[in-house]
């Protein structure tokens, strides 16, 4: 019940839904303050001036026995003039501005999601998680005392005073590039101003009057692909994504060749550094333009990348990463001004780069750990991010182990006769008929499976240009399943008797995957013995790395396999396991999570505390240096077979060809795999 | 006496000269540590490694009854191998390295000046003062654990560990531009490195191995002249000075015309900003080259300048400084990276700009206060820095008052018919014969007084180009003393009867100072009635400002007058007082201190604590806004006369012409001034 001041009841009962916080507050308290006193933070940019409309709430009518509250709109002070004005311009539809409504009696309040200060987003990861949107930057609106004769203080001192008085923010500094804007901004806004503040200690941006809009970039600098996500830092949403090939590719597909280029060319590092910065600037420009913003609107950036990309981006020569002991310049998280590395965003924009783990395990991997949190699961997860190096994480709540394995670029289509990057025209999926040994393929950019055989009807638009990583993995696995190659990876003589697609001479052998009629080059696309060998070497390195961590952990199986990265998204878990690329696991527990490194960057962009968590993850991960381990070499040799005999693959048993004497090609009985019916 | 360890005496008596610190230290302590324990900090860059040779000391031989010590070189451990090696390469001449010498008995030690950690310099000011050399940057030598396989830490983490272990420095950060150098520097120096550290919290520079050399710039950005002092931050000495005209002069001689240019030209601010930065870079380049250094060797900078120069330098539009209420963007001291304002010094070089006081009282004035410390004197000093605006400080221990007075540019030779800046060819001194009314002048660049009269023998090389500020002040004062003009500043008709050099017609009058034969232009150099009026207006503004502060303070005289700035250095105190430019004072107590603003910058460069003191001075000074004071207008009008009747000038009485009826020119009796005999 409402009681006027001066009578005996001086406190009112308040309950806040949906959080359920409740308690007593003094009669006459405004609801913004009341909610804060009861532990519920409401949105507010104007700081209680009844102008920003962020703190809208609904007051419920009726008796609520569970809370012991009889609530109603009459238990709040009537609308103020300012509130009525806001209501006319932006209809409140019965809601109140919490900062305008004074408590005059017991009320039960519903706080709509958009008024909750720390909004939550669902992180799109293998394990869905709820992330609080609490970025490193925020906006506050302030009204500054105008300049007057007789007061020698500068605009900055009066603005700082207003921040202290109106928001309790003291000891702030202002970026050297932002100070020159203060006088015109203050006067444009008639001495009211919206400040963008980083980490509660530095003013990055000043805008006249009341302004909304806070944007950041989450950037994943891959050796091959660069991805930029433009995020709305108030809602946590990605509002635009742009990607491009890493222009450094022209100086080498893989990391070692970039290092070599920097070592041999006097201007090599500077050139690669300029190229990547230029690309990031262009992607930022495109992403912001899509949503009618400009680069100037970006005030915070989080970047991940492998150690070589990290160093080149910062202008650090990658020489040391190319030779033992693979010393990093730093493994700490780096905070710097975007302008200091040439990024043309807001002049005071901040950059945070996630920490590194070791010479071969970079910030991208920390991003993956942040997104996938293997160290917070009960199950033992193996997280694999395949690129030129495979970064491997094995862990659960007990312990997290990390290693890097030198898979080489075969999984990215390099060092493969007709290999290419995943791009329109690339063969990405392959099936081989177990009887006829004829192929079917799927090509990026074309929706149908096709039979790329001479004489088959063909859509003129469709010509395959090569085979990408996921295609080569499936092709080799399918060739094994169809009996074209044996578990040593050798072509089987008897198979060549079934089809002329297998071409063997004394020294070499190859399988014609695509006849020349379906090939953009006019020549057939083939899988050679060398291609198979390259894939075997790559998969053995990956497997050996995983096995090394499993040995360190003392387990002989994993509960889950998480495939991160673009490659992981497109390969078939079944075929990966047939190849022995990943250890045995329930196929239902093999999940692809896409660009988890980029997701990690986005999380660290949206939630400042996750940057600290990333440092904890990086420092607590137990790094195993594979070149130091003789066990790695043994595992590597043992893992060359398909899938190989050393460690069992019980989950594959029903799909695999019968075990045969691998030294006698052609002596095997093929059987129709149950798997064939699944596609 | 020396006692081996294990016997009863475990402590030795140490005395350190010249400071006189003494006390007991444990037997076996090295002298570097012993001195520190007794409160005497010795120089050391190598951190006690017996390699830098900074901590040299002498041990005295004999009995010293005053200290109760029998001292001798045998009371120290013998020379170490490293010390012997140092001695061979850099003869110690009997001195010891304190870090190598272990205390084995009582010793009396002399610490030579160069081994004292905080050297002292004598500040060259009106009042000589002793300044401790304790800059914001320092160098430390460290040996870093090399990288090795199995240790994932980066070079930076190992370097930070070494700084903590070897120097107790923790939580340091490294500049984003310096991080990229860490790997090659460490390896060039075989993992030993010299770090330049700013404020004990940021690494600015890394150099391989052991290095010495720490340099900074003290910069005074004047409206007309820019001065750069290159200082050795170890010794406190100025090792090179370069100056140039402020190139912004092309957009206006005085501050108001610079502001107008920025207001009217869209690119005006950027243009003026670029010009001054470019000039500073060129001066830094020249200064460093003189002593075989480069811009890269400069790691710290302190800048002073008036408020308009300050704002333009920082890229802040000076618009607000041109109109009431003359709001500054900030009046705080500014710390920033040199690169952020375009200075091409060491990439991580820091800049500190002294605070401002108010819209018209800038960092140059704070520099003057820092150098002259009027607030620490028993006498009441009036410190006057004359430029386009005159900054005026009045104070003693009780209180310091500050004002700015709009003198206009007349004292700089502008708005004067034949006025010019002080440069070769300018007339800087003037005497007029009291009987003949013939002039003598001194011209900058020519050592002799000359009589610039038609018919006089002339050196062909000598032609006057115009008259500079000090010249016009002396000319007007001499014309008054010689009776050519009266105390109202009007030409006296009877004087024109004595010499044809005074040319009068009904409306105008002028005095021919230099006949055309001695003039570079081929025309005579004259002083017109308007010129006299301009000087009267300027001196009245200056005097009124000083008087305003005296009134605020409640005093009718000052004990000392300190003339700061180039103008102050060249004008004759006597003539300044005859003009009434400064209030009456014992002429022996009028001192010129030269570029005191630049001296203040140098002090703040050499001693970090003085930067904090500058802030205290700026904030505690009592600023009087002259335009707010109606008293100022009254004083101004009253001060137009020469010197004027309102406030007496007893110290001038014997020199002045007899008081005459100023409304009747020509009715005055001239008398020979005693002053004439003094020149």
């Amino acid at each position: 019940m409402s009681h006027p001041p001066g009578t005996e009841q001086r406190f009112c009962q308040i309950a806040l839904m949906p959080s359920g916080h409740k308690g007593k507050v003094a009669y006459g308290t405004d609801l913004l303050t009341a909610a804060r006193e009861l532990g519920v933070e409401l949105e507010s940019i104007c700081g209680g001036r009844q102008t920003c409309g962020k703190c809208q709430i609904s007051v419920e009518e009726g008796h609520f026995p569970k809370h012991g509250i009889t609530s109603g709109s009459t238990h709040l002070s009537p609308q103020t003039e300012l509130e009525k004005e806001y209501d006319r311009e932006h209809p409140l539809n019965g809601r109140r501005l919490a900062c305008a409504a004074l408590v005059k009696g017991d009320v039960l309040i519903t706080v709509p999601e958009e008024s909750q200060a720390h909004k939550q987003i669902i992180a799109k990861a293998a394990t869905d998680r709820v992330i609080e949107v609490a970025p490193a930057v925020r906006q506050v609106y302030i009204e500054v005392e105008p300049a007057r004769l007789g007061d020698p203080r500068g605009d900055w001192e009066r603005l700082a005073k207003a921040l202290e008085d109106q928001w309790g923010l003291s000891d702030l500094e202002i970026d050297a590039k932002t100070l020159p804007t203060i006088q015109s901004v203050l006067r444009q806004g008639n001495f009211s101003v919206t400040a963008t503040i980083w980490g509660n200690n530095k003013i990055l941006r000043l805008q006249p009057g009341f302004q909304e809009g806070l944007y950041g970039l989450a950037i994943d600098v891959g050796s091959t692909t660069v991805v930029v996500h433009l995020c709305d830092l108030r809602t946590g949403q990605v509002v635009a994504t742009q990607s491009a090939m890493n222009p450094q590719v022209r100086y080498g597909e893989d990391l070692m060749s970039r290092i070599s280029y920097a070592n041999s060319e006097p201007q090599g590092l500077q050139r690669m550094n300029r190229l990547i910065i230029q690309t990031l600037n262009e992607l930022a420009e495109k992403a912001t333009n899509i949503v009618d913003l400009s680069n100037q609107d970006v005030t915070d950036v989080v970047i991940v990348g492998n150690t070589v990309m990290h160093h080149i981006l910062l202008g650090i020569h990658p020489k040391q990463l190319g030779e033992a002991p693979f010393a990093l310049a730093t493994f700490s998280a780096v905070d710097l001004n975007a302008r200091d590395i040439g990024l043309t965003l807001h002049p005071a924009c901040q950059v945070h780069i996630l920490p590194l783990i070791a010479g071969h395990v970079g910030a991208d991997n920390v991003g993956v750990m942040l997104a996938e949190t293997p160290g917070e699961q009960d199950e033992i997860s193996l997280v694999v991010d395949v690129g030129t190096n495979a970064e491997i994480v094995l862990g659960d709540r007990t312990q997290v182990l990390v290693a890097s394995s030198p898979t080489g670029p075969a999984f990215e289509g390099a060092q493969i006769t007709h290999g290419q990057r995943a791009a329109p025209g690339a063969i990405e999926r392959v099936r081989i008929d177990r009887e006829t040994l004829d192929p079917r393929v799927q090509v990026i950019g074309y929706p149908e499976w096709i039979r790329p055989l001479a004489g088959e009807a063909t859509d003129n638009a469709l010509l395959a240009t090569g085979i990408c990583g996921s295609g080569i993995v499936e092709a080799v696995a399918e060739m094994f399943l169809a009996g074209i190659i044996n578990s040593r990876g050798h072509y089987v003589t008897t198979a060549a008797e079934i089809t002329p697609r297998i071409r063997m001479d004394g020294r070499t052998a190859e399988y014609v995957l695509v006849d020349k009629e379906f090939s953009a080059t006019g020549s057939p696309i083939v899988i050679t013995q060398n291609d198979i060998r390259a894939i075997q070497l790559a998969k053995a390195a990956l497997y050996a790395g995983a096995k090394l961590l499993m040995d360190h952990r003392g387990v002989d199986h994993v509960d889950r396999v998480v495939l991160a990265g673009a490659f992981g998204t497109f390969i078939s878990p079944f075929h990966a396991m047939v190849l022995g690329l990943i250890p045995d696991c329930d196929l239902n527990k093999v999940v692809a999570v896409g660009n988890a490194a980029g997701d990690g960057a986005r999380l660290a962009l949206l939630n400042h505390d996750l940057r600290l968590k990333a440092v904890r993850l990086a420092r607590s991960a137990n790094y195993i240096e594979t070149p130091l381990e003789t066990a790695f070499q043994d595992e590597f040799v043992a893992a060359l077979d398909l899938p190989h005999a050393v460690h069992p693959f019980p989950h594959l048993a029903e799909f695999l060809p019968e075990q045969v004497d691998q030294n006698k090609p052609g002596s095997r009985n093929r059987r129709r795999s149950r798997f064939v019916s699944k596609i």
Side-chain angles (χ1 to χ4, degrees), chain A residues 1-24:
Chain A
M1 281 299 296
S2 149
H3 294 252
T7 66
E8 65 282 2
Q9 194 193 356
R10 308 285 299 172
F11 288 90
C12 310
Q13 188 79 24
I14 312 285
L16 293 140
M17 297 294 118
S19 69
H21 286 74
K22 66 180 182 182
K24 286 185 170 174

PDB file of all heavy atoms in Angstrom, chain A residues 1-24:
ATOM      1  N   MET A   1       0.823  -1.206   0.000  1.00  0.00           N
ATOM      2  CA  MET A   1       0.000   0.000   0.000  1.00  0.00           C
ATOM      3  C   MET A   1       0.856   1.254   0.000  1.00  0.00           C
ATOM      4  O   MET A   1       1.933   1.301   0.563  1.00  0.00           O
ATOM      5  CB  MET A   1      -0.906   0.008   1.245  1.00  0.00           C
ATOM      6  CG  MET A   1      -2.107  -0.877   1.122  1.00  0.00           C
ATOM      7  SD  MET A   1      -3.165  -0.367  -0.253  1.00  0.00           S
ATOM      8  CE  MET A   1      -3.687   1.244   0.294  1.00  0.00           C
ATOM      9  N   SER A   2       0.313   2.233  -0.634  1.00  0.00           N
ATOM     10  CA  SER A   2       1.032   3.502  -0.707  1.00  0.00           C
ATOM     11  C   SER A   2       0.788   4.329   0.553  1.00  0.00           C
ATOM     12  O   SER A   2      -0.319   4.404   1.052  1.00  0.00           O
ATOM     13  CB  SER A   2       0.546   4.253  -1.958  1.00  0.00           C
ATOM     14  OG  SER A   2       0.598   5.637  -1.746  1.00  0.00           O
ATOM     15  N   HIS A   3       1.850   4.927   1.056  1.00  0.00           N
ATOM     16  CA  HIS A   3       1.734   5.800   2.223  1.00  0.00           C
ATOM     17  C   HIS A   3       2.476   7.081   1.936  1.00  0.00           C
ATOM     18  O   HIS A   3       3.592   7.046   1.458  1.00  0.00           O
ATOM     19  CB  HIS A   3       2.334   5.144   3.467  1.00  0.00           C
ATOM     20  CG  HIS A   3       1.583   3.949   3.916  1.00  0.00           C
ATOM     21  ND1 HIS A   3       0.798   3.934   5.045  1.00  0.00           N
ATOM     22  CD2 HIS A   3       1.496   2.709   3.384  1.00  0.00           C
ATOM     23  CE1 HIS A   3       0.247   2.731   5.192  1.00  0.00           C
ATOM     24  NE2 HIS A   3       0.660   1.973   4.190  1.00  0.00           N
ATOM     25  N   PRO A   4       1.879   8.184   2.202  1.00  0.00           N
ATOM     26  CA  PRO A   4       2.588   9.444   1.984  1.00  0.00           C
ATOM     27  C   PRO A   4       3.757   9.552   2.961  1.00  0.00           C
ATOM     28  O   PRO A   4       3.740   8.928   4.020  1.00  0.00           O
ATOM     29  CB  PRO A   4       1.527  10.517   2.272  1.00  0.00           C
ATOM     30  CG  PRO A   4       0.526   9.842   3.152  1.00  0.00           C
ATOM     31  CD  PRO A   4       0.549   8.393   2.808  1.00  0.00           C
ATOM     32  N   PRO A   5       4.738  10.347   2.604  1.00  0.00           N
ATOM     33  CA  PRO A   5       5.867  10.506   3.513  1.00  0.00           C
ATOM     34  C   PRO A   5       5.404  11.126   4.816  1.00  0.00           C
ATOM     35  O   PRO A   5       4.426  11.865   4.851  1.00  0.00           O
ATOM     36  CB  PRO A   5       6.823  11.440   2.757  1.00  0.00           C
ATOM     37  CG  PRO A   5       5.980  12.098   1.716  1.00  0.00           C
ATOM     38  CD  PRO A   5       4.859  11.181   1.404  1.00  0.00           C
ATOM     39  N   GLY A   6       6.089  10.809   5.850  1.00  0.00           N
ATOM     40  CA  GLY A   6       5.741  11.382   7.143  1.00  0.00           C
ATOM     41  C   GLY A   6       4.876  10.453   7.966  1.00  0.00           C
ATOM     42  O   GLY A   6       4.773  10.593   9.165  1.00  0.00           O
ATOM     43  N   THR A   7       4.197   9.502   7.327  1.00  0.00           N
ATOM     44  CA  THR A   7       3.426   8.533   8.111  1.00  0.00           C
ATOM     45  C   THR A   7       4.378   7.423   8.516  1.00  0.00           C
ATOM     46  O   THR A   7       5.539   7.412   8.141  1.00  0.00           O
ATOM     47  CB  THR A   7       2.247   7.982   7.292  1.00  0.00           C
ATOM     48  OG1 THR A   7       2.779   7.227   6.216  1.00  0.00           O
ATOM     49  CG2 THR A   7       1.395   9.124   6.769  1.00  0.00           C
ATOM     50  N   GLU A   8       3.803   6.408   9.205  1.00  0.00           N
ATOM     51  CA  GLU A   8       4.730   5.461   9.830  1.00  0.00           C
ATOM     52  C   GLU A   8       5.522   4.619   8.818  1.00  0.00           C
ATOM     53  O   GLU A   8       6.693   4.348   9.015  1.00  0.00           O
ATOM     54  CB  GLU A   8       3.972   4.563  10.840  1.00  0.00           C
ATOM     55  CG  GLU A   8       2.932   3.628  10.255  1.00  0.00           C
ATOM     56  CD  GLU A   8       1.634   4.375   9.907  1.00  0.00           C
ATOM     57  OE1 GLU A   8       1.560   5.629  10.093  1.00  0.00           O
ATOM     58  OE2 GLU A   8       0.712   3.727   9.432  1.00  0.00           O
ATOM     59  N   GLN A   9       4.913   4.187   7.659  1.00  0.00           N
ATOM     60  CA  GLN A   9       5.675   3.322   6.757  1.00  0.00           C
ATOM     61  C   GLN A   9       6.584   4.119   5.844  1.00  0.00           C
ATOM     62  O   GLN A   9       6.116   4.912   5.051  1.00  0.00           O
ATOM     63  CB  GLN A   9       4.766   2.432   5.907  1.00  0.00           C
ATOM     64  CG  GLN A   9       5.608   1.324   5.254  1.00  0.00           C
ATOM     65  CD  GLN A   9       4.852   0.614   4.158  1.00  0.00           C
ATOM     66  OE1 GLN A   9       3.699   0.878   3.925  1.00  0.00           O
ATOM     67  NE2 GLN A   9       5.533  -0.305   3.486  1.00  0.00           N
ATOM     68  N   ARG A  10       7.867   3.896   5.950  1.00  0.00           N
ATOM     69  CA  ARG A  10       8.844   4.650   5.180  1.00  0.00           C
ATOM     70  C   ARG A  10       9.512   3.763   4.133  1.00  0.00           C
ATOM     71  O   ARG A  10      10.365   4.213   3.411  1.00  0.00           O
ATOM     72  CB  ARG A  10       9.925   5.237   6.093  1.00  0.00           C
ATOM     73  CG  ARG A  10       9.357   6.024   7.277  1.00  0.00           C
ATOM     74  CD  ARG A  10       8.839   7.353   6.868  1.00  0.00           C
ATOM     75  NE  ARG A  10       9.906   8.163   6.309  1.00  0.00           N
ATOM     76  CZ  ARG A  10       9.733   9.333   5.727  1.00  0.00           C
ATOM     77  NH1 ARG A  10       8.500   9.820   5.613  1.00  0.00           N
ATOM     78  NH2 ARG A  10      10.741  10.017   5.273  1.00  0.00           N
ATOM     79  N   PHE A  11       9.172   2.486   4.114  1.00  0.00           N
ATOM     80  CA  PHE A  11       9.804   1.574   3.156  1.00  0.00           C
ATOM     81  C   PHE A  11       8.752   0.820   2.360  1.00  0.00           C
ATOM     82  O   PHE A  11       7.651   0.596   2.842  1.00  0.00           O
ATOM     83  CB  PHE A  11      10.713   0.567   3.886  1.00  0.00           C
ATOM     84  CG  PHE A  11      11.955   1.227   4.404  1.00  0.00           C
ATOM     85  CD1 PHE A  11      11.986   1.781   5.682  1.00  0.00           C
ATOM     86  CD2 PHE A  11      13.083   1.305   3.594  1.00  0.00           C
ATOM     87  CE1 PHE A  11      13.113   2.406   6.150  1.00  0.00           C
ATOM     88  CE2 PHE A  11      14.222   1.937   4.066  1.00  0.00           C
ATOM     89  CZ  PHE A  11      14.252   2.487   5.337  1.00  0.00           C
ATOM     90  N   CYS A  12       9.079   0.507   1.116  1.00  0.00           N
ATOM     91  CA  CYS A  12       8.152  -0.233   0.271  1.00  0.00           C
ATOM     92  C   CYS A  12       8.823  -1.535  -0.172  1.00  0.00           C
ATOM     93  O   CYS A  12      10.044  -1.613  -0.297  1.00  0.00           O
ATOM     94  CB  CYS A  12       7.772   0.580  -0.972  1.00  0.00           C
ATOM     95  SG  CYS A  12       7.244   2.265  -0.556  1.00  0.00           S
ATOM     96  N   GLN A  13       7.984  -2.518  -0.423  1.00  0.00           N
ATOM     97  CA  GLN A  13       8.467  -3.838  -0.837  1.00  0.00           C
ATOM     98  C   GLN A  13       8.540  -3.863  -2.372  1.00  0.00           C
ATOM     99  O   GLN A  13       7.577  -3.506  -3.042  1.00  0.00           O
ATOM    100  CB  GLN A  13       7.461  -4.879  -0.316  1.00  0.00           C
ATOM    101  CG  GLN A  13       7.892  -6.314  -0.472  1.00  0.00           C
ATOM    102  CD  GLN A  13       8.894  -6.728   0.612  1.00  0.00           C
ATOM    103  OE1 GLN A  13       8.947  -6.143   1.688  1.00  0.00           O
ATOM    104  NE2 GLN A  13       9.722  -7.720   0.288  1.00  0.00           N
ATOM    105  N   ILE A  14       9.678  -4.273  -2.895  1.00  0.00           N
ATOM    106  CA  ILE A  14       9.843  -4.326  -4.350  1.00  0.00           C
ATOM    107  C   ILE A  14      10.288  -5.729  -4.750  1.00  0.00           C
ATOM    108  O   ILE A  14      11.138  -6.320  -4.073  1.00  0.00           O
ATOM    109  CB  ILE A  14      10.963  -3.357  -4.827  1.00  0.00           C
ATOM    110  CG1 ILE A  14      10.808  -1.969  -4.216  1.00  0.00           C
ATOM    111  CG2 ILE A  14      11.031  -3.289  -6.357  1.00  0.00           C
ATOM    112  CD1 ILE A  14       9.714  -1.156  -4.807  1.00  0.00           C
ATOM    113  N   ALA A  15       9.718  -6.250  -5.829  1.00  0.00           N
ATOM    114  CA  ALA A  15      10.229  -7.504  -6.396  1.00  0.00           C
ATOM    115  C   ALA A  15      10.496  -7.258  -7.873  1.00  0.00           C
ATOM    116  O   ALA A  15       9.755  -6.531  -8.543  1.00  0.00           O
ATOM    117  CB  ALA A  15       9.226  -8.634  -6.216  1.00  0.00           C
ATOM    118  N   LEU A  16      11.581  -7.845  -8.337  1.00  0.00           N
ATOM    119  CA  LEU A  16      11.978  -7.635  -9.733  1.00  0.00           C
ATOM    120  C   LEU A  16      11.990  -8.955 -10.477  1.00  0.00           C
ATOM    121  O   LEU A  16      12.686  -9.899 -10.072  1.00  0.00           O
ATOM    122  CB  LEU A  16      13.370  -7.000  -9.767  1.00  0.00           C
ATOM    123  CG  LEU A  16      13.425  -5.576  -9.204  1.00  0.00           C
ATOM    124  CD1 LEU A  16      14.667  -5.365  -8.377  1.00  0.00           C
ATOM    125  CD2 LEU A  16      13.341  -4.563 -10.335  1.00  0.00           C
ATOM    126  N   MET A  17      11.224  -9.030 -11.513  1.00  0.00           N
ATOM    127  CA  MET A  17      11.158 -10.236 -12.342  1.00  0.00           C
ATOM    128  C   MET A  17      11.942  -9.977 -13.622  1.00  0.00           C
ATOM    129  O   MET A  17      12.012  -8.825 -14.036  1.00  0.00           O
ATOM    130  CB  MET A  17       9.688 -10.570 -12.687  1.00  0.00           C
ATOM    131  CG  MET A  17       8.835 -10.900 -11.461  1.00  0.00           C
ATOM    132  SD  MET A  17       9.386 -12.435 -10.683  1.00  0.00           S
ATOM    133  CE  MET A  17       9.889 -11.809  -9.067  1.00  0.00           C
ATOM    134  N   PRO A  18      12.502 -10.947 -14.313  1.00  0.00           N
ATOM    135  CA  PRO A  18      12.410 -12.367 -13.987  1.00  0.00           C
ATOM    136  C   PRO A  18      13.475 -12.827 -12.996  1.00  0.00           C
ATOM    137  O   PRO A  18      13.474 -13.989 -12.621  1.00  0.00           O
ATOM    138  CB  PRO A  18      12.652 -13.026 -15.348  1.00  0.00           C
ATOM    139  CG  PRO A  18      13.569 -12.071 -16.040  1.00  0.00           C
ATOM    140  CD  PRO A  18      13.199 -10.709 -15.581  1.00  0.00           C
ATOM    141  N   SER A  19      14.347 -11.947 -12.527  1.00  0.00           N
ATOM    142  CA  SER A  19      15.443 -12.437 -11.701  1.00  0.00           C
ATOM    143  C   SER A  19      14.988 -12.879 -10.325  1.00  0.00           C
ATOM    144  O   SER A  19      15.623 -13.715  -9.693  1.00  0.00           O
ATOM    145  CB  SER A  19      16.493 -11.321 -11.545  1.00  0.00           C
ATOM    146  OG  SER A  19      15.962 -10.280 -10.745  1.00  0.00           O
ATOM    147  N   GLY A  20      13.857 -12.291  -9.857  1.00  0.00           N
ATOM    148  CA  GLY A  20      13.363 -12.682  -8.543  1.00  0.00           C
ATOM    149  C   GLY A  20      13.992 -11.924  -7.385  1.00  0.00           C
ATOM    150  O   GLY A  20      13.689 -12.189  -6.225  1.00  0.00           O
ATOM    151  N   HIS A  21      14.862 -10.974  -7.685  1.00  0.00           N
ATOM    152  CA  HIS A  21      15.431 -10.164  -6.599  1.00  0.00           C
ATOM    153  C   HIS A  21      14.318  -9.420  -5.889  1.00  0.00           C
ATOM    154  O   HIS A  21      13.414  -8.889  -6.544  1.00  0.00           O
ATOM    155  CB  HIS A  21      16.431  -9.132  -7.159  1.00  0.00           C
ATOM    156  CG  HIS A  21      17.738  -9.714  -7.581  1.00  0.00           C
ATOM    157  ND1 HIS A  21      17.880 -10.451  -8.738  1.00  0.00           N
ATOM    158  CD2 HIS A  21      18.968  -9.678  -7.000  1.00  0.00           C
ATOM    159  CE1 HIS A  21      19.152 -10.823  -8.854  1.00  0.00           C
ATOM    160  NE2 HIS A  21      19.825 -10.383  -7.814  1.00  0.00           N
ATOM    161  N   LYS A  22      14.388  -9.347  -4.569  1.00  0.00           N
ATOM    162  CA  LYS A  22      13.414  -8.492  -3.890  1.00  0.00           C
ATOM    163  C   LYS A  22      13.949  -7.957  -2.577  1.00  0.00           C
ATOM    164  O   LYS A  22      14.974  -8.420  -2.064  1.00  0.00           O
ATOM    165  CB  LYS A  22      12.081  -9.209  -3.710  1.00  0.00           C
ATOM    166  CG  LYS A  22      12.081 -10.384  -2.791  1.00  0.00           C
ATOM    167  CD  LYS A  22      10.656 -10.951  -2.753  1.00  0.00           C
ATOM    168  CE  LYS A  22      10.607 -12.129  -1.777  1.00  0.00           C
ATOM    169  NZ  LYS A  22       9.275 -12.731  -1.746  1.00  0.00           N
ATOM    170  N   GLY A  23      13.224  -6.950  -2.067  1.00  0.00           N
ATOM    171  CA  GLY A  23      13.662  -6.344  -0.816  1.00  0.00           C
ATOM    172  C   GLY A  23      12.934  -5.023  -0.606  1.00  0.00           C
ATOM    173  O   GLY A  23      12.033  -4.670  -1.366  1.00  0.00           O
ATOM    174  N   LYS A  24      13.309  -4.321   0.468  1.00  0.00           N
ATOM    175  CA  LYS A  24      12.647  -3.055   0.784  1.00  0.00           C
ATOM    176  C   LYS A  24      13.522  -1.876   0.361  1.00  0.00           C
ATOM    177  O   LYS A  24      14.747  -1.934   0.498  1.00  0.00           O
ATOM    178  CB  LYS A  24      12.381  -2.971   2.288  1.00  0.00           C
ATOM    179  CG  LYS A  24      11.234  -3.863   2.715  1.00  0.00           C
ATOM    180  CD  LYS A  24      10.904  -3.693   4.186  1.00  0.00           C
ATOM    181  CE  LYS A  24       9.584  -4.430   4.481  1.00  0.00           C
ATOM    182  NZ  LYS A  24       9.262  -4.436   5.921  1.00  0.00           N
TER     183      LYS A  24
END
